[in-house]
Amino acid sequence: MKINPGGTLALEDIVGRDALVKDICVRLDLQSVILVAERRMGKTHVLAKLSNEAPAGWVVFRRDVEGVRSAAEFVQTIVADLHPHLSTSTQFGDWIKARAADLGGTKIGPLTLPNFQSKHWKQALCDTFDHVQDAKDLARVVFLWDEIPWMIQNIARADAQEAMELLDVLRALRQQHAKLRMVFTGSIGLHHIVRQLKAQGYTNAPTNDMAAIEVTPLDAPDAIRLANKLLQDIGWDTTGSTMAADIAHEVDGVPYYIHHVLSDIAKRPDPKAPLTPSDLRRLVRAAIQSAHDTWNLKHFEERTKDYYGDQRDACLALLDGIASAPTSLEVQTAINGAKASFPDIKQNDWIELVRLLERDYYLLRDPDTGHLAFKFSVLNRWWQWHRLSLPIMVEGGAS
Amino acid sequence: MKKTHAVAEAISPMAKKAMYLSHFTPSMMPPETLQAMLVQRGPLLQRTVDSVVHSVETTAKHHHLFVGPRGIGKTHLISLIHQRVSQNPAVQSKALIAWMREEEWGVTSFMELVLRILRTLDQAYPELGIDAQTQALYELSIAQAEEQATQILLQTLEDKTLVILLENLDDLFDQLKPTSQKQLRALIQNHPQFVLVATTPSLFTAITSQNSPFYGFFDIDPLEELSFEEVVELLEKIALERGDTSLATFIQSTEGRARIRAVHHLAEGNPRIYIIFAQFLTQEALDELVQAFMHTLDELTPYYQARMKELSGQQRKIVEYLVHYRGAATVKQIAKSCFITQQVCSAQLKQLREKRTVRSIERGRESYYELAEPLMRLCMEVKQQKGEPIGLFVSFLKIWYTKAELEVLLRDTKKATEQYLKYIERALSSSEGADLVANAVRTDFEKAIKNEALQVAGKILAELQSTSAATDRDWLVFGFMALQSAGGMSISMTESQSNTFVSAYERIFSKAKIPKKHVAPVVVALVELSYRLFLANSQNGMRMLKITMEVFLEHQVPVFIGILRAVMYASEKSESQKLWQQFSLDLIKQTVTVKSGHHHVKRIIRIMKVIEGLKENEKMTDSLLQLPREERLLVNLLLAKDMDFKLNYENQPSH
């Protein structure tokens, strides 16, 4: 297994997602799923694993849809995916030919896909899934759509109404067709796109029938196993070594950062030279403090502008206060600290901001005490250094 | 005096070769030349090649992005990656390579990018007949052409991997709207057969923003400026590549290194500038090379001019200030020099940073700003000079050649074109600089001292010595650092260095005026250092101790403390330490004779007994209290060092 931060892993190199994939399969038996996580947590690899390990009898289609720009184009991708499984159906074949004759077709290899125009895509989508429902040899059909929020965003930019309708049609299809399941995931939260649509008059809740499953950092044994494999790849003898455990702890078990740490270790003049725990902490600290932002941490600060709009400064004040505290804070203490700079914001609004920051992976509330801390120590350390010019105070390990 | 036509025609082979190097187009250079000139990046090159091969041989896919300003060596690296990867058997059988050259202008959509890739593949693999397939695309609508082009690409690949080498990714993504970027990423995700190896002058929003499709996509490697040792290595390699072994030897000499150190400060670690400078290292090609260098700058200047045109008036003022300032400046400094408020300056600098024209260096709470690209400074200087000799090169000539050598060059009329003469005359008349070399070496020396890099400091001190600029203070600072870092172990000073150090020590301390209240700890410390020096070089150690005693003779108590410490160090029974003990006791005798009588020895013995008693039984404070105050202070001082010792009383002179 090779170190590969940001790249595509071979299936056999995806570590630690077996339980999660099983959970998703169990849930998919009952309902569709929306996978949620911070970016670079490994959602795409989870989909790859799910696609490969789906139960027998399931037909799974996996597609990155961020390049799709219209609902009609989206329907084309679905038809193209289903075609090999439905081509034996005479009715489906006749239907496709008829549509191509009416609407003109785009030839893709041996297949001619109809050019579904705006007014036709809805009907085409419903017809397609009617054919799916009729197909006796398809027991369960699962669509894994990666980057669906971006697709909706693309569509909404050209025609917000079309985006709204697509979301509603997909929901209706899930309700109508018992064998159909969908898994949505994406680099940005779909809730942000829906919020933008709501600002334009959208009133529905298009995913309230879907179960939200979070893709979390790896648990400790899996994170250690991943780190060990990567250490072995650069020639380390990991027998009896605690380095893998130290690495996993330092970066909160996030596989993306584990790969990055190993990449930094591999780039030393002698990759196999021993590292003490304090050497490791220094290496991680250097990466967090780096002006090059090779771990892509700055975006957490930058995206607050898009996420929170004119409440951004208040959110930053909350986060600054929590970062500057040596331990976790009571919610009200955190709010009081930020309130000093924004006295006009009402208490309820502060509570809502805290909730938003939790939802967007900045903060975590301790389940026992209810105290607030940064969810990821890596982000906490970045915040201390780059926003507050404080020497890094916290140790590794997620809250 | 104008150059004759005949001379212009008969350009020497060396000049031709040098011109070839100075017009540095790595993508067109033979691989062995590229390999010969590779410094610093060997491991990075191998790692990248390994990961590309891994991407071809397995279903894993690694994507790389190299970041660094113009002239840092990005194309050089990509050229070598291409060369090595294309020779790999696995890649030859299982992959295709599309090397998209330095500037891919006119690509404004995903479809155009796919077409450009197909065109590149067609040129590299004409047997695939791609061109014939793409002709039909121009008859289709854009949407259909896009779909068809993608299909052609996928069908061409079949089950092979496509390795795309792509330069100036920032420019490409600036032209590709986010929608097209998403289409590209979707293609890569839906068909995991693609590997991207790309370069960019600096990071850009499409990579760094979480909302961007390619956020976190690449394994990013910033390419670092060359360190001083790497520069020496590069210049030596260039000299050897040109067959100039005497130059290569000179480069490694102390004098050569001193000069290169000054060049290093001028060139700010940018490899392309070094390669240009390298042409000036021999005299023969000077005239042609000025022209060749100007040609290189001519190619770059429109690029930087275009970038300047994009800037607002205030931003241009800031950039021009940084060009002249030549270092990293604070917001306050820049604002003051540009007659703008700090707030406005800060806002403009933020935009300049986003445009990748400047970069910031964080030092605690302060941010410093400098030009992101040293070549930009060069191009702007040339433009401002309007035909006058370029300041940077005049400085270089002054560094590289002595005054006498410049005068010889001036008299050598065979090569005397007008431009040539201008440079030499300017170098001779410039008031800057014989100090350029010494200043550069001194700056690096002080940095090494600050970083406690002893060996590096020692090397640089030798260079400083070669420029006749090393002072007694420099030797003192170096010597003290060497002795303090030793901690009783072996010291990293050669015999010659310790000789020079002790001589400098004598000269400085013989005139030193140390406040009385500081004398005691100073003397004690100096005696300790003398002992450490003694362990490495007994003669110099004893010499240093003697000097110390003589210098501080008038300060009775501290001298007494110092001597006592000197004696105490010799509690072991090794030969060298007995020698130290004896020498110290002889010094005591001299001190006794010269100044204050033999009671010092009795004091030593009295104090030693108290100390030994206290070590055996901490509660024996009565004996301590019987001592005079200054002797109690001495005991406390000596005990604080927790030295384990026993004085061999039998060797004491009897009084």
Side-chain angles (χ1 to χ4, degrees):
Chain A
M1 180 182 191
K2 281 219 167 298
I3 298 164
N4 191 357
T8 303
L9 301 178
L11 269 175
E12 61 271 19
D13 292 338
I14 301 173
V15 170
R17 297 302 192 188
D18 299 304
L20 175 62
V21 165
K22 280 201 179 76
D23 279 347
I24 296 171
C25 289
V26 164
R27 181 59 67 172
L28 280 174
D29 231 4
L30 303 169
Q31 66 187 121
S32 290
V33 162
I34 186 162
L35 278 186
V36 294
E38 183 43 67
R39 202 160 173 193
R40 308 314 319 182
M41 199 56 71
K43 297 185 289 296
T44 301
H45 285 120
V46 169
L47 290 188
K49 203 169 158 69
L50 176 59
S51 177
N52 191 55
E53 295 174 11
W58 287 21
V59 174
V60 179
F61 305 102
R62 184 165 74 97
R63 187 179 276 270
D64 181 312
V65 293
E66 65 189 285
V68 172
R69 292 154 291 179
S70 68
E73 193 180 334
F74 181 53
V75 173
Q76 277 192 325
T77 69
I78 294 172
V79 173
D81 285 340
L82 283 169
H83 188 270
H85 298 273
L86 293 175
S87 55
T88 50
S89 155
T90 315
Q91 284 177 321
F92 180 75
D94 290 343
W95 175 78
I96 282 279
K97 283 180 193 152
R99 297 284 76 71
D102 291 341
L103 306 171
T106 299
K107 204 162 169 44
I108 313 290
L111 177 64
T112 301
L113 286 178
N115 293 330
F116 297 110
Q117 303 301 320
S118 302
K119 58 183 180 178
H120 296 293
W121 67 264
K122 239 188 273 190
Q123 190 58 53
L125 193 53
C126 295
D127 289 347
T128 301
F129 281 106
D130 284 341
H131 288 294
V132 168
Q133 193 64 29
D134 292 340
K136 302 270 185 290
D137 53 342
L138 293 178
R140 165 79 71 228
V141 173
V142 184
F143 286 90
L144 309 180
W145 285 320
D146 199 0
E147 307 298 0
I148 205 161
W150 269 338
M151 181 189 81
I152 300 294
Q153 191 180 57
N154 292 343
I155 297 171
R157 282 201 177 122
D159 186 340
Q161 188 62 33
E162 185 171 291
M164 295 174 199
E165 287 177 9
L166 178 58
L167 285 169
D168 289 342
V169 166
L170 289 174
R171 188 180 186 287
L173 287 169
R174 291 193 298 270
Q175 302 292 310
Q176 287 161 20
H177 297 290
K179 62 170 77 167
L180 174 63
R181 294 288 185 268
M182 299 174 190
V183 177
F184 291 176
T185 189
S187 301
I188 56 174
L190 185 59
H191 58 275
H192 288 292
I193 310 300
V194 171
R195 189 168 46 122
Q196 289 163 17
L197 292 175
K198 281 187 191 292
Q200 298 177 70
Y202 186 56
T203 54
N204 296 336
T207 59
N208 64 356
D209 61 315
M210 300 173 81
I213 296 180
E214 187 180 350
V215 179
T216 58
L218 297 177
D219 61 20
D222 287 330
I224 293 169
R225 191 156 58 95
L226 171 61
N228 263 329
K229 282 190 170 203
L230 296 176
L231 282 167
Q232 286 156 14
D233 178 57
I234 56 173
W236 277 53
D237 178 6
T238 55
T239 314
S241 164
T242 59
M243 182 52 58
D246 293 337
I247 291 170
H249 178 75
E250 267 298 305
V251 297
D252 312 321
V254 177
Y256 178 66
Y257 297 138
I258 292 174
H259 275 269
H260 264 297
V261 170
L262 264 298
S263 178
D264 289 346
I265 292 174
K267 286 172 187 174
R268 297 179 305 157
D270 179 7
K272 292 192 236 181
L275 266 181
T276 63
S278 54
D279 290 335
L280 173 66
R281 276 194 291 277
R282 261 195 296 277
L283 187 147
V284 171
R285 197 168 58 217
I288 292 171
Q289 291 174 351
S290 164
H292 292 297
D293 194 31
T294 46
W295 287 20
N296 299 124
L297 290 162
K298 189 168 170 39
H299 80 87
F300 282 97
E301 184 196 22
E302 288 173 340
R303 73 183 189 184
T304 52
K305 195 169 145 192
D306 293 329
Y307 279 18
Y308 309 119
D310 53 13
Q311 293 181 310
R312 183 197 191 203
D313 289 339
C315 283
L316 290 175
L318 262 173
L319 291 168
D320 287 348
I322 294 168
S324 62
T327 58
S328 59
L329 289 180
E330 281 187 18
V331 173
Q332 197 55 49
T333 308
I335 289 173
N336 290 344
K339 233 181 193 174
S341 305
F342 300 92
D344 295 334
I345 297 180
K346 296 188 174 51
Q347 177 69 9
N348 280 346
D349 292 335
W350 283 113
I351 302 283
E352 177 63 12
L353 282 177
V354 168
R355 194 190 66 76
L356 287 173
L357 289 170
E358 285 181 80
R359 183 199 63 191
D360 292 327
Y361 309 107
Y362 289 90
L363 299 176
L364 187 71
R365 215 181 286 219
D366 185 287
D368 297 320
T369 63
H371 286 192
L372 282 174
F374 271 77
K375 180 166 177 142
F376 298 115
S377 72
V378 169
L379 178 59
N380 194 356
R381 284 175 272 169
W382 184 93
W383 212 271
Q384 285 167 355
W385 180 254
H386 289 279
R387 282 214 31 106
L388 306 175
S389 298
L390 291 175
I392 288 177
M393 296 190 293
V394 296
E395 295 290 324
S399 298
Chain B
M1 200 185 301
K2 300 283 181 202
K3 200 171 181 180
T4 62
H5 183 70
V7 170
E9 285 297 306
I11 295 175
S12 67
M14 183 177 288
K16 277 185 192 160
K17 197 168 182 187
M19 283 178 73
Y20 165 68
L21 272 180
S22 75
H23 190 248
F24 190 69
T25 310
S27 54
M28 298 173 72
M29 294 176 81
E32 53 275 8
T33 306
L34 290 176
Q35 182 60 46
M37 292 172 61
L38 184 69
V39 295
Q40 185 199 83
R41 295 182 187 138
L44 174 62
L45 170 64
Q46 192 55 52
R47 242 188 354 260
T48 310
V49 168
D50 287 346
S51 87
V52 169
V53 172
H54 186 249
S55 298
V56 169
E57 289 179 328
T58 70
T59 53
K61 296 290 169 276
H62 306 251
H63 308 286
H64 293 270
L65 179 64
F66 303 112
V67 185
R70 292 200 168 230
I72 203 75
K74 300 187 295 294
T75 305
H76 187 175
L77 185 62
I78 286 280
S79 302
L80 277 169
I81 291 169
H82 176 263
Q83 186 255 327
R84 289 213 192 162
V85 160
S86 58
Q87 287 177 352
N88 180 279
V91 173
Q92 285 171 349
S93 63
K94 294 181 188 171
L96 300 178
I97 304 173
W99 187 6
M100 317 278 284
R101 300 305 170 108
E102 282 199 60
E103 272 87 26
E104 286 291 340
W105 303 117
V107 175
T108 58
S109 70
F110 171 69
M111 184 191 71
E112 286 169 11
L113 178 61
V114 173
L115 283 178
R116 197 63 63 93
I117 293 171
L118 286 170
R119 193 182 309 163
T120 306
L121 285 175
D122 184 60
Q123 287 167 355
Y125 308 94
E127 68 277 13
L128 294 176
I130 295 171
D131 186 55
Q133 297 177 63
T134 55
Q135 291 305 314
L137 296 175
Y138 299 97
E139 309 303 321
L140 301 175
S141 69
I142 292 178
Q144 289 174 327
E146 182 182 282
E147 186 60 48
Q148 287 296 328
T150 308
Q151 289 304 312
I152 292 171
L153 178 59
L154 292 170
Q155 282 159 17
T156 302
L157 290 178
E158 293 178 322
D159 58 354
K160 288 189 177 175
T161 300
L162 177 60
V163 179
I164 306 177
L165 305 177
L166 191 46
E167 300 198 61
N168 293 320
L169 192 70
D170 58 323
D171 284 342
L172 178 65
F173 274 37
D174 274 349
Q175 295 166 83
L176 285 180
K177 291 191 177 46
T179 312
S180 295
Q181 293 169 29
K182 284 176 187 168
Q183 286 179 282
L184 174 60
R185 187 169 173 271
L187 175 70
I188 295 169
Q189 297 290 79
N190 289 327
H191 304 279
Q193 299 170 257
F194 295 86
V195 173
L196 295 193
V197 179
T199 70
T200 177
S202 59
L203 294 176
F204 49 100
T205 311
I207 297 291
T208 58
S209 166
Q210 195 233 5
N211 292 336
S212 303
F214 283 87
Y215 163 78
F217 182 85
F218 290 98
D219 185 1
I220 297 174
D221 276 295
L223 298 186
E224 303 296 338
E225 289 88 2
L226 299 185
S227 68
F228 169 69
E229 295 295 340
E230 286 158 356
V231 167
V232 171
E233 188 187 346
L234 173 64
L235 293 177
E236 191 187 1
K237 284 185 172 187
I238 291 173
L240 290 171
E241 171 68 16
R242 285 161 37 183
D244 196 337
T245 48
S246 62
L247 177 60
T249 307
F250 175 71
I251 284 167
Q252 282 291 2
S253 69
T254 311
E255 192 188 343
R257 286 168 61 90
R259 294 193 193 182
I260 292 170
R261 203 175 283 282
V263 172
H264 186 51
H265 281 247
L266 285 184
E268 300 176 61
N270 188 289
R272 190 178 289 189
I273 296 181
Y274 286 115
I275 286 165
I276 293 165
F277 276 152
Q279 318 320 306
F280 287 80
L281 298 185
T282 57
Q283 299 167 15
E284 274 120 357
L286 182 62
D287 191 41
E288 291 88 357
L289 289 163
V290 170
Q291 292 177 32
F293 168 67
M294 296 302 291
H295 176 67
T296 304
L297 286 190
D298 281 345
E299 288 185 336
L300 285 172
T301 299
Y303 167 76
Y304 289 121
Q305 281 177 331
R307 286 188 53 186
M308 283 295 276
K309 275 199 186 133
E310 290 167 11
L311 305 181
S312 67
Q314 279 176 338
Q315 289 171 356
R316 279 187 222 176
K317 232 193 288 188
I318 291 172
V319 169
E320 280 164 6
Y321 170 73
L322 289 174
V323 165
H324 290 299
Y325 182 65
R326 283 202 183 184
T330 60
V331 174
K332 188 174 171 185
Q333 190 180 342
I334 299 168
K336 190 174 163 191
S337 305
C338 297
F339 295 99
I340 52 179
T341 65
Q342 285 187 41
Q343 202 174 358
V344 164
C345 186
S346 205
Q348 298 292 3
L349 281 167
K350 183 168 181 284
Q351 289 184 27
L352 283 169
R353 205 171 62 185
E354 284 162 7
K355 289 178 190 190
R356 310 186 294 274
T357 306
V358 305
R359 66 177 174 195
S360 67
I361 304 168
E362 315 297 322
R363 289 280 181 266
R365 286 184 178 263
E366 190 90 73
S367 291
Y368 291 76
Y369 291 86
E370 62 180 3
L371 277 190
E373 302 196 18
L375 280 174
M376 186 177 191
R377 170 178 297 110
L378 209 54
C379 291
M380 288 183 65
E381 273 190 4
V382 166
K383 192 168 174 305
Q384 283 160 8
Q385 298 291 8
K386 295 187 177 66
E388 290 298 304
I390 304 157
L392 199 67
F393 281 93
V394 173
S395 298
F396 174 80
L397 288 171
K398 283 206 68 97
I399 287 167
W400 197 255
Y401 297 108
T402 63
K403 191 170 175 220
E405 285 169 337
L406 285 172
E407 283 168 352
V408 166
L409 286 174
L410 194 60
R411 285 197 296 272
D412 190 346
T413 56
K414 280 189 209 150
K415 296 187 179 62
T417 63
E418 195 177 317
Q419 191 169 41
Y420 173 92
L421 286 174
K422 244 193 220 173
Y423 270 90
I424 305 299
E425 281 166 356
R426 185 63 64 89
L428 276 168
S429 66
S430 168
S431 58
E432 196 188 26
D435 299 328
L436 278 175
V437 175
N439 287 345
V441 179
R442 175 167 299 289
T443 302
D444 284 359
F445 173 68
E446 285 172 7
K447 208 192 289 184
I449 293 288
K450 193 173 166 195
N451 293 337
E452 296 179 18
L454 189 58
Q455 287 195 341
V456 171
K459 268 188 181 169
I460 300 175
L461 189 52
E463 292 168 27
L464 206 53
Q465 192 86 333
S466 77
T467 66
S468 306
T471 62
D472 282 343
R473 182 194 165 274
D474 296 327
W475 279 104
L476 205 68
V477 164
F478 172 70
F480 280 161
M481 189 171 84
L483 292 173
Q484 281 168 339
S485 69
M489 309 301 285
S490 64
I491 296 160
S492 298
M493 261 207 288
T494 63
E495 179 162 351
S496 161
Q497 284 175 334
S498 81
N499 288 345
T500 314
F501 160 69
V502 175
S503 299
Y505 176 79
E506 184 172 19
R507 283 192 291 270
I508 287 186
F509 272 87
S510 62
K511 297 175 201 152
K513 290 192 188 330
I514 299 177
K516 200 170 174 184
K517 62 181 177 180
H518 294 144
V519 166
V522 166
V523 169
V524 168
L526 289 174
V527 169
E528 183 160 344
L529 294 181
S530 304
Y531 178 65
R532 292 189 188 182
L533 182 56
F534 169 80
L535 292 173
N537 185 309
S538 55
Q539 288 299 320
N540 279 332
M542 289 191 289
R543 200 173 140 214
M544 184 177 171
L545 179 66
K546 187 163 184 288
I547 293 166
T548 307
M549 293 303 131
E550 285 168 0
V551 165
F552 292 98
L553 201 56
E554 62 185 278
H555 300 284
Q556 289 293 304
V557 169
V559 165
F560 174 52
I561 293 169
I563 293 172
L564 189 60
R565 290 289 293 270
V567 169
M568 281 162 55
Y569 281 124
S571 60
E572 298 300 319
K573 293 214 167 68
S574 72
E575 284 308 311
S576 64
Q577 284 159 325
K578 280 184 190 168
L579 175 63
W580 176 259
Q581 186 183 27
Q582 190 56 53
F583 178 74
S584 308
L585 288 170
D586 287 345
L587 273 185
I588 291 171
K589 277 190 201 165
Q590 287 173 28
T591 309
V592 164
T593 308
V594 169
K595 279 290 176 183
S596 49
H598 59 266
H599 66 277
H600 277 304
V601 177
K602 287 186 183 166
R603 285 177 90 178
I604 291 174
I605 294 171
R606 185 168 63 235
I607 287 167
M608 295 299 297
K609 281 187 175 165
V610 168
I611 290 173
E612 283 178 14
L614 281 170
K615 276 192 163 271
E616 281 172 26
N617 185 348
E618 283 177 3
K619 294 184 182 150
M620 279 186 60
T621 50
D622 291 348
S623 57
L624 179 64
L625 289 170
Q626 287 168 12
L627 294 177
R629 184 170 173 272
E630 66 272 17
E631 290 179 21
R632 283 208 302 276
L633 289 173
L634 174 62
V635 167
N636 287 332
L637 189 71
L638 293 170
L639 279 174
K641 284 287 180 180
D642 194 28
M643 291 187 63
D644 189 13
F645 60 87
K646 279 200 179 308
L647 182 63
N648 187 351
Y649 292 133
E650 287 121 23
N651 288 342
Q652 297 312 306
S654 55
H655 289 275

